[in-house]
Amino acid sequence: MPPTAVPPTTQTLSRSQARRVALAAQGFTDPPHATPTMRTLERALRRTGVLQVDSVNVLQRAHYVPLYSRMGPYDTALLHRAAERSPRRMVEYWAHVQAFMPVDLWPVMRHRMEDHRARRGKWRVVEADPALEAGVLHAVDVLGASTSREVAAYLGEGAASSKDHWGWNWSSTRRILDYLFTVGDVAVASRTAQFEIRYDLPERVLPREVLDAPVPDVAEAAVALVRRAARSHGVATERCLADYYRMRAQPAPGLASAREAVATLVETGELEPVRIEGWSRPAYLHRDARLPRRVRARTLLSPFDPVVWERERTERLFGFRYRIEIYTPAAQRVHGYYVLPFLLGEQLVARVDLKADRRVPGGELVVRGAFAEPDAPEETASELLVELQRMATWLGLAGLRIEGRGDLVPRLGALRGPG
């Protein structure tokens, strides 16, 4: 049955209603397509607003999995077409953290780019070097889409640099390229198979109409970002709305303010203040939010899925305390290295530590741990097994190996049987 609109007079939502609103906003009630197409991908991107990018590849890169969670098994070439070929539908920028965003967000992000320019960087000061910046831009102009190593080689700089994702030992060229990216002077054209960024000039990456679009002022940009966050959340607190695009909650010179934007959208009727059962903070319901009678989801979520970005929100909505343990020493991990929440219906009912082992013939999806939540339904293990088999097929892995810790591991093994 299709979702019904939330009545405009709603003042209080139960936790179940808030969950269903949130999951519908994220696309978990969209009708499935037997074969996902570019239109399916665009619909999923409109729901999430952004796809976080992360270098960890123990299972699959972070930006691929949220699309799978909403679309089901899809050809990942769709994402490459959307991000790398004309007409581009999405582009990388610091929209949440490093993330894919729809290309029409580029003008909205200009105020953020100018703030980075004024501060000479995003999180650290990049010393001004006009000659090197001009040289790097010239090299990119001449070379076209190119990695920092290729630009460094063109400039005659030594290529020695760390592969560290956070860039503590980046070469001078790499640091300048990252700075030029944060201020919008270069854009990400694509990535290599090794996940290295290929940079190019924005005019060769973004559609002309996007580059020529008017740049909103700071207040207009804040409203645009909070509006998108509210649509993606369905219902959210001010803190959640600010976090979605990593905005400042309070006003600051030259920066978008979530608080003022929320007030504007409440005044225009686009956001409705509501109360949610068990929440101490006021929440805001988007006027186009949907409240389905039921959510029939069954899927695994990336550790970087928007549903679980904001930990307090996840805990209040789902009663699910979630922490990423990638950077926790192995002996101190509670659930594992790369743990995916399992969404069944409207609840997060389990979590599973997964790894894609491609060293064995045909490859295997390895379950290194599987843990049920205290109130997980009886069918959790059987539904999870179906989902694990579906994910293995999508990843092109011929086998499924169940091992490790957790109360669901023996149940999964028994259900699967020998072999």
Side-chain angles (χ1 to χ4, degrees):
M1 181 173 294
T4 56
V6 177
T9 56
T10 296
Q11 295 296 318
T12 302
L13 295 176
S14 68
R15 285 179 64 190
S16 174
Q17 288 174 319
R19 278 195 299 271
R20 284 178 275 142
V21 167
L23 290 170
Q26 280 288 317
F28 290 99
T29 59
D30 289 343
H33 290 176
T35 303
T37 64
M38 184 61 72
R39 184 172 296 179
T40 324
L41 184 148
E42 289 179 306
R43 181 183 68 181
L45 183 60
R46 283 197 304 273
R47 302 291 191 233
T48 64
V50 282
L51 299 171
Q52 184 170 339
V53 173
D54 190 84
S55 62
V56 176
N57 196 26
V58 66
L59 180 71
Q60 175 59 290
R61 301 284 189 197
H63 49 286
Y64 293 100
V65 182
L67 295 173
Y68 162 84
S69 300
R70 290 152 180 78
M71 296 162 49
Y74 72 99
D75 184 352
T76 56
L78 284 174
L79 188 148
H80 292 278
R81 278 178 49 203
E84 299 172 9
R85 289 169 49 185
S86 180
R88 293 176 195 257
R89 278 83 169 180
M90 58 190 194
V91 66
E92 284 190 49
Y93 189 65
W94 280 93
H96 176 71
V97 290
Q98 184 93 3
F100 283 108
M101 65 181 189
V103 291
D104 63 356
L105 257 182
W106 188 267
V108 181
M109 290 292 170
R110 292 299 310 189
H111 69 286
R112 189 168 296 184
M113 296 173 187
E114 292 310 312
D115 178 63
H116 296 330
R117 192 186 302 276
R119 293 191 293 119
R120 290 296 304 177
K122 184 184 185 301
W123 52 47
R124 72 178 72 175
V125 173
V126 178
E127 295 297 331
D129 188 338
L132 180 55
E133 288 177 33
V136 167
L137 282 171
H138 174 73
V140 172
D141 187 17
V142 171
L143 295 173
S146 46
T147 67
S148 63
R149 294 173 188 272
E150 291 166 337
V151 173
Y154 180 88
L155 296 174
E157 182 187 44
S161 61
S162 170
K163 295 182 179 179
D164 183 277
H165 180 63
W166 301 105
W168 302 121
N169 297 305
W170 282 349
S171 68
S172 298
T173 298
R174 181 68 177 87
R175 287 195 296 272
I176 291 296
L177 278 166
D178 186 68
Y179 167 74
L180 294 173
F181 163 68
T182 62
V183 304
D185 289 348
V186 299
V188 176
S190 62
R191 286 180 180 262
T192 69
Q194 293 74 39
F195 211 56
E196 286 182 278
I197 293 174
R198 291 190 183 99
Y199 300 91
D200 206 343
L201 301 179
E203 54 265 35
R204 294 201 290 242
V205 173
L206 294 152
R208 188 74 254 168
E209 61 269 21
V210 169
L211 293 171
D212 291 342
V215 176
D217 64 28
V218 171
E220 291 169 337
V223 169
L225 291 176
V226 169
R227 177 183 289 120
R228 288 178 186 242
R231 286 174 175 164
S232 292
H233 270 319
V235 64
T237 65
E238 180 187 288
R239 174 176 170 175
C240 295
L241 294 172
D243 178 73
Y244 209 83
Y245 288 100
R246 293 293 166 90
M247 301 169 64
R248 292 176 182 262
Q250 301 286 354
L255 289 175
S257 162
R259 177 156 297 174
E260 291 178 338
V262 168
T264 297
L265 292 171
V266 169
E267 184 178 351
T268 61
E270 195 163 343
L271 293 182
E272 176 193 353
V274 295
R275 294 185 300 273
I276 298 177
E277 173 194 4
W279 290 26
S280 58
R281 296 190 181 97
Y284 300 90
L285 180 72
H286 193 274
R287 68 184 175 197
D288 296 332
R290 313 285 291 180
L291 174 55
R293 295 180 182 178
R294 185 177 177 184
V295 175
R296 295 180 172 86
R298 187 199 65 213
T299 194
L300 288 161
L301 303 179
S302 163
F304 304 99
D305 193 287
V307 171
V308 294
W309 269 347
E310 220 290 324
R311 304 302 186 223
E312 182 181 347
R313 174 181 171 85
T314 304
E315 200 160 342
R316 290 190 179 279
L317 268 180
F318 298 96
F320 189 86
R321 189 178 188 277
Y322 184 56
R323 301 292 184 272
I324 295 178
E325 299 181 271
I326 292 171
Y327 304 109
T328 303
Q332 298 175 27
R333 291 177 195 141
V334 177
H335 296 107
Y337 179 78
Y338 203 75
V339 177
L340 285 74
F342 179 45
L343 176 65
L344 185 63
E346 66 178 68
Q347 287 281 25
L348 297 174
V349 300
R351 61 193 85 202
V352 56
D353 184 18
L354 295 180
K355 175 184 178 180
D357 186 353
R358 301 187 183 277
R359 297 170 301 176
V360 299
E364 287 183 324
L365 180 60
V366 182
V367 177
R368 302 196 291 187
F371 308 82
E373 289 298 286
D375 56 353
E378 180 61 32
E379 66 271 18
T380 295
S382 58
E383 294 285 0
L384 177 57
L385 180 61
V386 173
E387 171 59 14
L388 289 167
Q389 292 167 332
R390 184 178 79 140
M391 176 169 271
T393 300
W394 173 60
L395 293 173
L397 303 171
L400 174 64
R401 188 165 84 240
I402 300 169
E403 58 186 32
R405 303 177 300 114
D407 57 313
L408 285 176
V409 166
R411 295 167 64 186
L412 289 169
L415 286 167
R416 183 167 178 265

